[in-house]
Amino acid sequence: MVGMHVGAKPAEFCDEFFPPPLDSPTGRSVGRPQTNPFAELKDANTMPEGKITEKLIDAINGHNLAPGLKLRHSGDRPDPALIDPDGQKVDAAFFREANTPEDGKPHWVDQIIPVEFKRHDSHGTYLDPFHHCVSGFTTSKGEPDKRKRGRGQVITYAEFIMAIQQRVAVFMLVIVGRGCRFVRWDRSGSIVMELVDYYEQWELFCDILWRISTRSDVQLGCDPTAVRVLPGDEDYHKMDLAAVSRPTDIDHTVTDRPLRAGEIPDTSPGPDGQPKPTVFKYVRAQFFDSINAGWPRYCLSIPDGKETRNFLVSKPSFRATGLIGRATRGYVALDCDTGRFVWLKDAWRAHYLKVEQEGAVLKQLNNGNVPFVPTLVCHGDVEEQDTLTPAWWERQHAAAQPTPSKVDATPVDASARPQPSSTSSSKRKRCVEDDEEDVPRPDGLPPSTHTLGSTCPLRRHRHYRLVVQEVALPLSEFQHGRQLVEVVRDCVIAHSKAFELGIMHRDISGGNILILPIVVKVQSGVFIVCTGVLADWEMSKPITTDDEPGGPRQPERTATWQFMSVAILNHPGTKTVEVCDELEAYFYVVLYYAIRYMKSSFDNVTIATFLDEFFDCHTFVNGKYACGATKSKAIETGQLSAGGMKVELDGPMDSLVKTLLCWFSANYHVKLYKDPSSSITTASRSTSPAAPPAPQPHNEDAPGPSATALLRPFVSRHSRGASKVTNMPTAEQFADAKAVADHTEMISLLDDASLLTTWSRKDKVGDQVPANWRVEDNKTFAQTLESIPEEGSNKRPRLSPEIQAPLVVPPRPPVTPPPRGQTEQLEGNAPELEE
């Protein structure tokens, strides 16, 4: 993360972030120390860390250098595991006097400015964590491991404060022997003040501390749109009441029979004239867990046109790890206006010209009656809260910047998207990709609004919140194989209808395909049906024709590595995302969840190894990362194998997976035949045909009524098997390739599979990745790929500090590893993973 830090002179840093109050422009006039309060720290460069900590805390508190604040030691013991499972302990922190703890714990919830102490050196190694970052180094190559570990340590502290509090930025004080520096963290990186000798320059340090004491919580990085809800507040009581279970709450797992009389929800009109909400038990349970986890409660404000709406939240149900990036948090929230549970997404979206707000996309989808997508409640940017670190980087590099990169303050309206031409048009549709060209300035764009002509390596982010009606379940909560197929089928339908509106999702992954139980009344009774929801549309882009303007919208392209098509992985930045690429991603979702959670021919260790090799591994070709060998081989040969053994799944899932694999394998061979440059590997090409699903006898263990049968009439269809591959594709291969050119055949295949009577309600056996299973760090992509290194680079690709966040509850989109119950350490969190 060396490149994520921007240096700053003490004067410019303090004047920008800690200016003196207007009534004291020349500094503190009352209570100013007359002598050096740090006299006992003259020899701090030779003192142990503990002694430096003790003496500096005593000096600051004893001389009241920060009136209204108290510096407290907080490294004795961690906060309760319910609050911080990792048990982190920053050395000290500044607190408001009213919230000053006395027990030696971190009390992360109330910290204003954390303080980390380091001795000057260890066995000759200078321990300043930021020495390498602000001393002209472009990478951490050659940097001592002790300094890397120290930097990784303070990064995790900043990350956790940003997570547990509602913050725009975090200020941190780092003490190294007799030196001190302040650091300002935001979601783009950090601004690091040059080191100050607080013994020699004690007047400067005292003035900075006094300035800090005059600043409000908002001026010190807290979010003004998030109001703390405290015990005794009306909203606090409202949250407690909402968390109490009701007899009318519905169990979403009762899907194998009609609901009985006492189980049918009351949907008669409520006081607001709207049908009374149906509350599933899992939704209220998640809200209960969130407010009983020791995390603070907040009332969050969200724009709703010209109005503002308020929502009550506590601990997020989903939190993307990592300090830098979108930092998505998802909450089961209580709507202050309606008293209903909703899903609230808080994120720092990429903020560039033509990058649309996710809510604007959802509005277009909702207006277009696209099924199986979230229903927008409200959304908007949060008071134009932007990350400042990129602007500081550009300020320092202004002389080398041919065109400064600024952003359009007005988000693009989805209704203004260019619409695709009609089906009779001869123009080829495509999804515009983030290539390496600058965006041309649109006609009429104000001169102050710039496009991407910047060499700034830091991504711009703007704070954004989105609320939708649906509180769904992660895909890993599917009850049986048929339900998995039905949920994925619904999301393919959503993708198809969005495509007809001119929108390509571009991030199909396990984390973005959700399960939503609904109550359905049919002639035979009232049933609970689990439908799919295709969420997280922030990466979507309009589909344009060849002669319509296009170009990159942000410096880096994003998607979820594990589920990207082989062609996209092997041709980053040059391959246009097509429907077949998105459908291939759906296939990988089905494959991943089927192998990880359902019966198969493999034991647990083999399953874990296969998932790692197929989904997480990569190759390195001509200086660029590309698709792993196992995944490439499967597409090229049309076969799934591990250690020489074919993958055999249980029941109808086996035939479905093999049929889909044959389709995508044929698609690659047809494309290779038409364009040899699209080759995926150099291995020999051969495969065996996969038989289509065959009629099977009645199954007493079937998992109840099919959602497909309940929601739509049965239409008989026939899926096609694959044939042996030759150098020239066969007629069947051309037909199979055509099956993935649009959505129709895949929807039909999933429909037919879900209507089979041979599914078992017991074919899901739980997570089969052993809890103690590990993988070599150098083999996996445990995060979302954000960019590819330059040609000839010997580095790993820069990875996003988060998995693409779903619009619903944990677990995060699947990654193998980590094993169950563990959170992977990401770059910037684990010092050993830093560049």
Side-chain angles (χ1 to χ4, degrees), residues 64-222:
N64 196 26
L65 300 181
L69 295 174
K70 290 295 181 183
L71 181 59
R72 284 288 185 264
H73 181 67
S74 58
D76 289 345
R77 49 196 177 130
D79 281 346
L82 190 63
I83 298 175
D84 177 20
D86 296 328
Q88 301 177 90
K89 299 177 295 180
V90 68
D91 292 324
F94 283 98
F95 297 86
R96 295 295 179 192
E97 281 187 324
N99 298 321
T100 301
E102 302 292 345
D103 58 4
K105 293 182 180 180
H107 290 266
W108 297 102
V109 172
D110 297 316
Q111 287 188 20
I112 301 298
I113 295 179
V115 184
E116 180 66 7
F117 289 84
K118 299 292 181 186
R119 62 187 301 176
H120 180 269
D121 63 86
S122 175
H123 303 289
T125 300
Y126 183 41
L127 296 182
D128 179 7
F130 296 96
H131 175 70
H132 220 74
C133 303
V134 294
S135 301
F137 296 96
T138 57
T139 74
S140 61
K141 185 177 182 179
E143 182 180 16
D145 289 340
K146 291 179 180 178
R147 274 211 302 265
K148 290 184 187 180
R149 287 196 294 269
R151 187 164 65 252
Q153 188 179 33
V154 297
I155 287 172
T156 61
Y157 297 156
E159 178 195 350
F160 191 65
I161 291 176
M162 294 278 268
I164 199 170
Q165 299 183 26
Q166 298 292 331
R167 287 273 192 161
V168 175
V170 170
F171 290 95
M172 179 182 293
L173 173 59
V174 178
I175 306 293
V176 185
R178 217 171 75 173
C180 71
R181 67 165 89 241
F182 284 89
V183 182
R184 182 192 183 276
W185 301 94
D186 63 24
R187 295 301 184 180
S188 292
S190 65
I191 302 170
V192 183
M193 191 183 84
E194 288 183 359
L195 205 68
V196 169
D197 186 328
Y198 59 82
Y199 174 79
E200 291 288 348
Q201 298 173 277
W202 63 270
E203 291 176 301
L204 172 61
F205 188 41
C206 288
D207 185 59
I208 296 173
L209 293 174
W210 171 75
R211 291 187 184 194
I212 289 173
S213 72
T214 67
R215 308 296 283 170
S216 67
D217 288 355
V218 170
Q219 291 169 327
L220 293 176
C222 292

Side-chain angles (χ1 to χ4, degrees), residues 53 325 380 784:
T53 304
T784 300

Side-chain angles (χ1 to χ4, degrees), residues 242-258:
V244 178
S245 62
R246 312 283 200 273
T248 54
D249 292 348
I250 303 174
D251 181 2
H252 76 281
T253 63
V254 182
T255 58
D256 58 348
R257 59 171 175 79

